[in-house]
Amino acid sequence: MLLRTEGRAGFVTLNRPRALNALTHAMVLAVDRALTAWADDPAVTTVVIEGAGERGLCAGGDIRAIHDDARAGGSASAAFWRDEYRLNARIARYPKPYVALMDGIVMGGGVGVSAHGSVRVVTDRSRVAMPETGIGFVPDVGGTHLLGRAPGELGTHLALTGTPVGAADALLTGLADHHVPAERLPALAGDLTRLPADEAVARHAEPPAPGVLADRRAWIDHCYAAPTVEEIVDRLFEAGEPAAKETATTLLAKSPTALKATLATLRRARTLATLEEVLDLEYRVSCAALTTADLVEGIRAQVVDKDRDPRWSPAKLTEVTDADVARYFAVPAGGDLGLAAALRAGDAAAREGSA
């Protein structure tokens, strides 16, 4: 972590460029401490988060550490998620402009520390994704909150497939607010040290190159409105669109259990009013995923051995039962996250204090 203040801005730089700035528990705690300090510092009027190097803001959490913890039956991942999700909620309610420079790869936990901010900037190099189903996991860090509010069924498509999107589609789906060409980021950072955040961004923002999702809305909305993953896949194969058929094939390579748990989580998230409620839900789901064979196997295949040939269990969508999915929503052994309850208690105390 690199922390600095310059002019009116506080800068958080995720500084693990060789690991694509993947988040560790210590990094999460360091960001939280900085935000706490800057919230009450009158000299800091804007907070900026960026990634070291040119490959991306952040590729997500340190999934090798999660893999080792899951294999050992440990509790380190649950503790990491507790603090990470609390940080996500803090970012969403931060009292000062929180500018996320979402350049390059922004995935998983990288979305969590950026897309909940109040000023979210993507570039022509941005690749934003929640790719969890490919490792036997479920979108977290408030990802189901964000994707559940995307237009139509675009969020369902991105949650299940893990497809990365560029600048235009990040704007379309509500994962970002502005597009700034990558070569202008240094000038933007400079302006943020002396100008209000909105004014600084407006100086550099411009329309992005066209995306692909807008032209695919018709078949995406139809196919992903199906009640089950099996029917979604059937509709994709029957849509008569090459891209839809390719998407069906993509889905069939993902963890069947993770796909069904993701669809159930996303649809529950849509019914919840606050990010805190969704993070509470996702915490249950993440803790449950930690005990599954698919999470260990998915990370092994994609990151550890890199054979790209995961052996999912169960191997087919039809073999995943309702009970298999229901266990993702049970209270974890260590208890719930409790963010929504804390928010309600804080609101109640504030009302009493103003009475």
Side-chain angles (χ1 to χ4, degrees):
M1 291 293 305
L2 298 176
L3 302 172
R4 76 181 195 277
T5 57
E6 184 177 344
R8 59 189 291 153
F11 286 84
V12 175
T13 304
L14 306 181
N15 190 34
R16 297 182 68 202
R18 293 181 63 184
L20 270 171
N21 301 317
L23 293 170
T24 64
H25 199 164
M27 291 167 70
V28 165
L29 294 175
V31 175
D32 189 71
R33 287 193 297 270
L35 294 185
T36 299
W38 289 337
D40 296 324
D41 185 345
V44 175
T45 60
T46 299
V47 171
V48 183
I49 187 165
E50 59 187 1
E54 297 185 351
R55 297 172 64 196
L57 170 66
C58 176
D62 188 341
I63 59 175
R64 280 182 176 267
I66 294 172
H67 170 270
D68 295 344
D69 186 47
R71 286 190 66 186
S75 59
S77 297
F80 167 66
W81 290 325
R82 275 188 175 272
D83 288 326
E84 183 183 26
Y85 298 177
R86 287 169 176 161
L87 175 62
N88 302 148
R90 173 186 282 265
I91 290 169
R93 294 185 182 275
Y94 201 64
K96 298 178 180 180
Y98 180 99
V99 182
L101 303 183
M102 301 169 68
D103 186 36
I105 292 174
V106 185
M107 296 184 178
V111 173
V113 296
S114 60
H116 297 301
S118 54
V119 184
R120 304 164 303 169
V121 177
V122 284
T123 76
D124 45 293
R125 302 188 298 202
S126 294
R127 303 296 291 164
V128 185
M130 298 297 296
E132 286 77 7
T133 57
I135 59 167
F137 197 46
V138 176
D140 66 334
V141 298
T144 61
H145 175 80
L146 295 164
L147 295 177
R149 285 153 178 76
E153 296 293 337
L154 293 178
T156 312
H157 170 67
L158 298 183
L160 294 182
T161 64
T163 301
V165 297
D169 289 330
L171 297 176
L172 173 64
T173 52
L175 296 172
D177 306 302
H178 309 279
H179 165 255
V180 172
E183 67 268 17
R184 296 188 191 173
L185 288 182
L188 170 58
D191 283 345
L192 287 167
T193 67
R194 60 187 186 84
L195 298 173
D198 288 344
E199 182 179 340
V201 172
R203 286 180 166 224
H204 302 279
E206 63 179 42
V212 299
L213 291 181
D215 290 339
R216 298 178 179 181
R217 275 288 303 275
W219 63 260
I220 287 175
D221 287 355
H222 168 70
C223 295
Y224 287 95
T228 66
V229 179
E230 290 94 328
E231 189 171 342
I232 288 171
V233 171
D234 288 343
R235 290 189 185 187
L236 288 167
F237 275 123
E238 296 166 358
E241 295 281 349
K245 184 176 181 180
E246 182 180 338
T247 298
T249 302
T250 296
L251 287 178
L252 291 177
K254 308 295 184 183
S255 160
T257 305
L259 286 174
K260 288 197 172 184
T262 294
L263 184 64
T265 304
L266 187 71
R267 289 182 172 170
R268 290 193 185 201
R270 283 177 170 170
T271 70
L272 301 176
T274 66
L275 171 62
E276 285 79 4
E277 291 174 284
V278 176
L279 288 166
D280 284 345
L281 173 69
E282 290 179 349
Y283 182 74
R284 289 188 175 192
V285 172
S286 296
C287 289
L290 190 66
T291 67
T292 66
D294 274 7
L295 179 60
V296 172
E297 174 62 10
I299 299 175
R300 178 207 66 78
Q302 300 297 337
V303 178
V304 180
D305 296 337
K306 298 183 180 179
D307 58 32
R308 308 292 191 266
D309 185 27
R311 294 178 288 276
W312 305 121
S313 178
K316 297 179 181 179
L317 286 167
T318 53
E319 296 172 347
V320 181
T321 68
D322 291 343
D324 292 331
V325 176
R327 65 181 296 274
Y328 279 80
F329 304 104
V331 177
D336 275 325
L337 183 58
L339 280 174
L343 177 65
R344 289 192 294 269
D347 289 345
R351 287 194 298 270
E352 290 179 6
S354 62

